């Protein structure tokens, strides 16, 4: 039955989406920083290019996200260079008179917050629309869910291989597709596992869980409890590859034999969902670190759309895994 198969296919497509975006983020941040290795101590660039002691970053008016650009002894400036490496965006957006113009200024945390907010608003709006359609014509919702999953995957591939990481159009198109996916997958999980008012409760719990994990990992990053190092990223990449292989293997097993051990709601499926939630949570640290590096390097403000894309993919993946896990418990 198509309702039974759609969550499986949607989940696999969405993980491919997450994997493609993960590769895009690290390709982008590496190119901005100019190297995959540690580039040395960052120093603010003054008007006469004289290096000063400490690291200065543009502070945010948002107290939650402000930690992404906070450093010890920091002054505030918009362009940066390193002792051993000159950022390709140092002095970016400077007019002949030495003033930064509004159209090509360096990226700030406020840019990231604003672009991510817009992206999530589009996702939520389309999710509500697709979920509402399910009350009128569930078949249309299932179709739109599949379109959203495939369209989102294609969009991220375009962003990755077409070097459109900082494109507002690509990010918003992705958000529209993912909104259809989120609304449809919410309907499929809740209406096939539970019924009535419990469906709304389940979705609410998944949303709260997603927000809670996001804020928790932001706190972890702010306090430095877990350091994002090259080794951390290598381990995370390896774990994501392993999960991807397991998902693809499970999909082939389901197609050819009907067995679905990783998504049937059993103990193995519960453990696998918990592992996926853990990996999604760890991915937030990589997201925050990528944003931090781009801001420190003085990347152009349009790159905030790329950061928004990365955060949105991680948030949606986390939401679907939490919703799936909750649906297992409710059905049991």
């Amino acid at each position: 039955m198509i309702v039974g198969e759609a969550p499986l296919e949607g989940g696999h497509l969405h993980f491919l989406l997450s994997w493609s975006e993960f590769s895009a983020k690290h390709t982008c941040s590496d190119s901005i920083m100019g190297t995959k290795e540690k580039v040395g101590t960052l120093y603010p660039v003054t008007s006469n290019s004289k290096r000063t002691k400490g690291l200065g970053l543009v502070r945010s008016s948002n107290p939650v996200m402000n930690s992404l650009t906070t450093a010890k002894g920091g002054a505030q400036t918009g362009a940066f260079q390193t002792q051993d490496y000159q950022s390709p965006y140092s002095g970016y957006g400077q007019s002949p008179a030495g003033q930064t113009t509004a159209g090509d200024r360096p990226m700030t945390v406020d840019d990231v917050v604003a672009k991510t907010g817009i992206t999530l608003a589009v996702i939520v709006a389309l999710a509500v629309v697709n979920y509402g359609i399910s009350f009128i014509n569930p078949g249309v919702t299932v179709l739109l869910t599949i379109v959203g999953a495939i369209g989102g995957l294609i969009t991220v591939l375009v962003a990755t291989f077409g070097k459109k990481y900082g494109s507002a159009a690509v990010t918003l198109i992705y958000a529209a597709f993912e909104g259809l996916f989120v609304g449809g997958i919410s309907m499929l999980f809740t209406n096939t596992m539970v019924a009535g008012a419990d469906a709304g409760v389940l979705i609410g719990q998944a949303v709260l869980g997603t927000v809670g994990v996001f804020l928790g990992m932001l706190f972890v990053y702010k306090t430095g409890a877990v350091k994002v190092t090259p080794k951390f990223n290598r381990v995370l990449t390896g774990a994501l590859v392993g999960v991807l292989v397991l998902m693809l293997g499970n999909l082939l097993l389901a197609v050819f034999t009907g067995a679905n051990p990783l998504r049937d709601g059993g103990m193995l499926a519960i453990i696998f969902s918990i592992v996926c939630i853990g990996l999604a949570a760890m991915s937030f640290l990589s997201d925050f670190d990528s944003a931090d590096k781009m801001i420190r390097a003085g990347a152009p403000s349009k790159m905030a759309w790329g950061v928004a894309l990365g955060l949105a993919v991680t948030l949606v993946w986390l939401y679907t895994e939490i919703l799936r896990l909750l649906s297992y418990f409710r059905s049991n």
Side-chain angles (χ1 to χ4, degrees):
M1 188 169 80
I2 191 169
V3 171
E5 293 293 327
L8 173 69
E9 296 175 1
H12 285 56
L13 285 170
H14 190 262
F15 183 83
L16 290 174
L17 234 166
S18 303
W19 172 249
S20 299
E21 178 274 331
F22 179 84
S23 301
K25 286 184 296 184
H26 289 282
T27 300
C28 176
S29 62
D30 287 342
S31 65
I32 287 176
M33 294 304 293
T35 177
K36 294 183 179 179
E37 304 296 332
K38 184 177 180 181
V39 295
T41 305
L42 292 170
Y43 296 89
V45 178
T46 59
S47 58
N48 61 358
S49 299
K50 181 180 179 181
R51 291 170 183 155
T52 58
K53 183 178 180 180
L55 170 63
L57 298 171
V58 178
R59 299 293 297 274
S60 169
S61 59
N62 187 308
V64 177
M65 297 293 288
N66 193 44
S67 62
L68 294 181
T69 55
T70 299
K72 294 181 179 180
Q76 297 185 11
T77 184
F80 293 85
Q81 66 182 23
T82 67
Q83 186 174 3
D84 303 316
Y85 167 72
Q86 176 67 39
S87 168
Y89 296 110
S90 294
Y92 186 92
Q94 297 294 321
S95 66
Q99 300 296 322
T100 301
T101 61
D104 53 8
R105 57 180 174 74
M107 182 175 71
T108 67
V109 175
D110 287 329
D111 292 324
V112 174
V113 173
K115 302 305 187 295
T116 302
I118 293 171
T119 303
L120 294 180
V122 173
I123 292 176
V124 171
L126 270 296
V128 171
V129 169
N130 198 24
Y131 190 84
I133 292 175
S134 68
F135 294 101
I136 302 173
N137 193 332
V140 173
T141 294
V142 172
L143 178 61
L144 290 176
T145 302
I146 296 173
V147 169
I150 296 175
L153 174 61
I154 293 174
T155 304
V156 170
L157 291 176
V158 169
T160 304
F161 298 106
K163 302 185 184 301
K164 302 292 185 182
Y165 190 77
S167 170
V170 170
T171 299
L172 294 177
I173 290 173
Y174 161 80
F177 280 128
E178 281 298 271
L180 296 176
F181 172 80
V182 168
I185 210 72
S186 298
M187 182 276 292
L188 291 169
F189 280 142
T190 57
N191 291 350
T192 56
M193 300 294 185
V194 298
D198 286 341
V201 172
L202 197 66
I203 293 173
Q205 290 174 338
V207 171
L208 288 176
T210 301
V211 173
V213 171
F214 175 83
L215 294 178
M217 299 313 293
L218 182 60
F219 178 78
V220 168
Y221 184 81
K222 175 181 179 180
T223 58
V226 177
K227 299 294 184 181
V228 180
T229 63
K231 182 177 180 180
F232 174 90
N233 284 327
R234 286 195 298 270
V235 171
L236 180 60
T237 301
L240 289 171
V241 171
V243 168
L244 175 60
V245 171
L246 288 174
M247 282 187 170
L248 292 178
N250 187 72
L251 177 61
L252 293 175
L253 189 65
V255 170
F256 292 106
T257 68
N260 188 19
L262 296 182
R263 297 303 192 188
D264 61 0
M267 182 56 65
L268 183 59
I270 291 174
I271 293 174
F272 186 71
S273 288
I274 292 174
V275 170
C276 289
I277 290 171
L279 288 177
M282 290 292 102
S283 294
F284 279 128
L285 297 179
S286 180
D287 293 336
F288 298 149
D289 187 62
S290 295
D292 197 359
K293 286 181 178 178
M294 284 187 275
I295 292 170
R296 290 172 183 237
S301 58
K302 68 177 184 178
M303 298 306 293
W305 286 110
V307 177
L309 175 64
L311 289 172
V313 170
T314 308
L315 282 166
V316 172
W317 182 33
L318 177 63
Y319 168 78
T320 56
E321 290 298 338
I322 291 178
L323 184 63
R324 189 192 301 272
L325 182 62
L326 291 174
S327 69
Y328 291 159
F329 291 137
R330 286 298 184 94
S331 63
N332 292 334

